[in-house]
């Protein structure tokens, strides 16, 4: 007796999207999975209609109902919407975990073939520079805020460890730039170390992100799960796709507490749109992740095995793969022909690689739903003090005039500790100032070192600075939390 159909929102998307999505839907139906598809719009067509979010209300409502999305790539048209509809979708539904497996496939030649590459990049999907909070500080200086929260870090790190536990994986590597960004990337690393202690059977490892890129190129098989912040993850997950055959083979899942969105890593590849030549494997592999998420494990294994058989036998080869192997591009398989071959191989098991059907590795039910544990209680017990202020301002004056002018504004309670330019101290006592860009940071601190400065003093200081320097642009309070400075020193300080 067939069960109740799964309700799934399907967004065909732009460019080659409808072709690869149709391919995945046909294969899922051929595998006998009962699905009630809710087709929904997002992307270019929506922008053209004048909806600047790219994601209309009906689509949001459908996702609220189904909580599962299979999605083709969405174009970000220049001149229509301002924000990417992809990023909007991920953020609207708080899909904080971007999971990108990179697994060696039979019949797909790469430099690493035979080394057993089988890794997963777990990328934080909401925070970091992708919060998209940018401001021009002066007409010539731009700033993007890098937001890293303890909660966001803990959710993704816990997700990575739960995934490792569920898949029987041995090691989780945390990739950060904590050596340079000690507070933001450093927070992510500290949370990783705290959470790792709860998973004693899994080996935790921390590597600097640039070394991870180097190690991925040199010996990718050493990695199991890599967990990292948003921008780092964006870059190294594309790198990882390249290790196992490229964008035609790179799937992904975006998981939140309530909603999961499955899509290929690739974009809309407009030059191939409507030509029936694109490789659908990436989207089909993404749909396999989706089937596992909704508990259709057996169908997921059957489809994955059919893909492995198809690639291993090499009777149907898509254009991209033919190009990589020096094969016959003229007679390469079409998208629909390749899909037919996969459907014809449903029920067969691969011979040169271990089949997924009957595999020991649990690749089971819904993906882990980690809890975060740092509630308001922790907040309440923290001793906090504000011991000064950083004021950012634009000014034409040379530093040896600017320094004394700012010192004169300090007052009785605070003193000017230093001025920096792009993070490097330039005042006082620096003989060779750096090549500044006329955006300065003036750091004022309590004259009685480390003591709290009342807000009234800080606001009065701010007013004095603003009256003298109309180019002031923003301020940052200098906090001390539980005795730990919540700010970094300048280079050379
Ligand atoms: P792209 O669409 O991924 O295409 C770049 C190139 O990758 C293609 O020209 C093709 O290479 C290859 N490729 C992509 N998908 C392939 C597949 N299924 N099989 C084989 N080869 C494939 O990247 P783009 O041209 O930079 O972006 C186009 C649009 O997509 C942009 O509007 C962008 O914003 C959007 N985009 C959307 C998403 C998303 O929805 N998640 C992701 C990325 C980009 P060859 O030319 O060598 O054949």
């Amino acid at each position: 007796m067939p069960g109740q159909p799964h309700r799934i929102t399907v967004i065909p998307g732009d460019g080659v999207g409808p072709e690869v999505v149709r391919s995945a839907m046909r294969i899922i139906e051929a595998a006998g999975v009962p699905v009630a598809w809710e087709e929904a719009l997002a992307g270019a067509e929506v922008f053209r209609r004048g909806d600047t979010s790219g994601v209309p209300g009906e689509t949001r409502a459908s996702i609220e109902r189904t909580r599962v999305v299979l999605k083709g790539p969405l174009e970000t048209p220049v001149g229509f919407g301002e924000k990417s509809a992809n990023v909007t979708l991920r953020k609207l539904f708080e899909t904080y975990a971007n999971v990108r497996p990179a697994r060696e496939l039979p019949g797909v030649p790469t430099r690493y073939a035979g080394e057993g590459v089988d890794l997963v990049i777990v990328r934080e999907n909401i925070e970091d520079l992708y919060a998209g909070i940018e401001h021009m500080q002066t007409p010539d200086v731009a700033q993007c805020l890098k937001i890293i929260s303890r909660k966001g870090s803990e959710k993704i790190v816990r997700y990575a460890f739960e995934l490792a536990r569920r898949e029987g994986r041995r090691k989780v590597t945390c990739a950060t730039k904590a050596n340079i960004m000690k507070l933001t990337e450093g927070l992510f690393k500290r949370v990783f170390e705290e959470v790792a202690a709860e998973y004693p059977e899994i080996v935790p490892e921390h590597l600097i992100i640039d070394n991870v890129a180097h190690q991925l190129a040199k010996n990718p098989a050493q990695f199991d799960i890599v967990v990292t912040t948003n921008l780092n993850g964006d870059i190294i997950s594309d790198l990882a796709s390249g290790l196992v055959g490229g964008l035609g083979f790179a799937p992904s899942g975006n998981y939140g507490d309530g909603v999961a969105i499955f899509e290929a890593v690739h974009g809309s590849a407009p030059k191939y749109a409507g030509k029936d030549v694109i490789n659908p494997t990436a989207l089909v592999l993404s749909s396999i992740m989706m089937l596992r998420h909704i508990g259709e494990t057996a169908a997921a294994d059957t489809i994955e095995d059919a893909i492995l058989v198809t690639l291993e036998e090499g009777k149907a080869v898509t254009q991209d793969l033919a190009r990589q192997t020096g094969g016959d591009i003229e007679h390469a398989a079409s998208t629909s022909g390749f899909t037919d071959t996969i459907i014809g191989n449903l029920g067969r098991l691969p011979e040169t690689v271990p089949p997924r059907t009957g595999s020991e590795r649990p690749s089971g039910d819904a993906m882990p739903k980690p809890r975060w544990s740092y509630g308001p209680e922790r907040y309440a017990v923290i001793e906090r003090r504000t011991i000064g202020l950083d004021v950012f301002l634009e000014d034409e004056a040379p530093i040896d005039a600017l320094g004394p002018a700012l010192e004169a504004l300090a007052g009785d309670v605070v003193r000017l500790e230093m001025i920096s330019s792009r993070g490097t101290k330039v005042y006082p006592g620096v003989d060779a100032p750096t090549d500044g860009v006329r955006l300065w940071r003036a750091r004022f601190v309590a004259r009685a070192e480390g003591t709290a400065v009342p807000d009234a003093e800080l606001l009065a200081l701010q007013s004095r600075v603003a009256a003298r320097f109309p180019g002031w642009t923003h301020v940052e309070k200098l906090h001390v939390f539980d005795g730990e400075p919540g700010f970094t020193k300048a280079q050379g300080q």
Side-chain angles (χ1 to χ4, degrees), residues 272 277-279 317-324 329-330 332-333:
Y272 296 124
V277 295
I278 200 78
N279 182 356
V317 175
T318 48
Q319 266 193 14
D320 59 326
L321 191 52
R323 226 173 279 127
Q324 284 178 45
I329 297 169
E330 287 280 296

Side-chain angles (χ1 to χ4, degrees), residues 44-311:
E45 194 181 323
V46 180
F47 285 121
R48 271 193 290 272
R49 281 200 216 148
D51 180 335
T52 52
S53 75
V55 185
E58 309 88 84
T59 301
R60 296 179 198 195
S62 171
I63 298 172
E64 289 290 347
R65 271 193 305 276
T66 64
R67 323 297 282 168
V68 183
V69 185
L70 183 64
K71 169 187 160 297
L74 305 179
E75 211 180 290
T76 310
V78 181
F80 291 99
E82 285 196 346
K83 294 269 179 186
S84 149
N86 293 304
V87 178
T88 301
L89 265 176
R90 290 175 201 159
K91 290 195 182 236
L92 273 179
F93 295 100
E94 190 71 29
T95 55
Y96 63 86
N98 183 250
V99 177
R100 293 188 177 181
R103 192 146 165 259
E104 183 177 329
L105 293 164
V108 181
T110 70
R111 287 185 176 81
Y112 307 95
E115 293 182 15
V117 175
D118 177 9
L119 60 93
V120 186
I121 308 288
V122 177
R123 160 191 170 196
E124 201 289 320
N125 217 14
I126 306 284
E127 305 194 334
D128 196 359
L129 297 163
Y130 289 60
I133 306 171
E134 296 192 280
H135 296 95
M136 294 303 295
Q137 299 291 298
T138 79
D140 295 330
V141 182
Q143 172 192 280
C144 179
L145 290 187
K146 182 173 169 84
I147 309 285
I148 303 283
S149 73
R150 175 174 281 279
K151 179 178 175 180
S153 302
E154 184 179 341
K155 281 174 85 167
I156 194 70
V157 167
R158 208 172 269 287
Y159 190 98
F161 277 100
E162 289 289 328
L163 185 65
R165 187 172 266 178
R166 181 154 309 192
E167 292 201 349
R169 289 177 180 268
R170 198 179 51 80
K171 185 168 77 167
V172 177
T173 304
C174 173
T176 75
K177 196 71 186 170
N179 53 332
I180 303 297
M181 286 165 273
K182 294 181 193 304
L183 297 186
T184 49
E185 294 273 316
L187 176 59
F188 193 88
K189 176 174 180 279
R190 282 196 300 282
V191 170
F192 173 80
E193 285 156 358
E194 287 167 21
V195 172
E198 295 176 37
Y199 298 83
E201 77 280 19
I202 297 163
V203 179
E205 169 184 64
H206 174 262
L207 295 179
I208 299 294
I209 184 67
D210 30 345
N211 187 27
V212 170
H214 168 233
Q215 295 293 334
L216 275 170
K218 224 171 70 167
N219 175 20
Q222 69 182 289
F223 291 104
D224 221 347
I225 287 186
V226 181
V227 64
T228 187
T229 49
N230 206 338
L231 178 61
N232 291 338
D234 195 1
I235 297 168
I236 61 162
S237 57
D238 269 31
L239 195 164
S241 308
L243 304 173
V244 291
L247 287 173
F249 299 94
S252 82
N254 300 284
Y255 300 88
D257 289 330
V259 168
I261 302 172
F262 299 88
E263 60 183 334
V265 170
H266 65 75
S268 59
K271 70 180 175 187
Y272 296 124
K275 296 192 175 152
D276 198 24
V277 295
I278 200 78
N279 182 356
T281 307
L283 205 277
V284 179
L285 290 172
S286 310
S287 74
I288 290 172
M289 294 173 76
M290 178 186 77
L291 292 177
R292 296 208 164 98
H293 176 71
I294 61 174
E296 290 284 354
T297 313
D301 290 347
T302 302
I303 297 174
E304 193 163 348
D305 282 335
I307 293 177
L308 295 173
V309 170
T310 305
L311 294 172

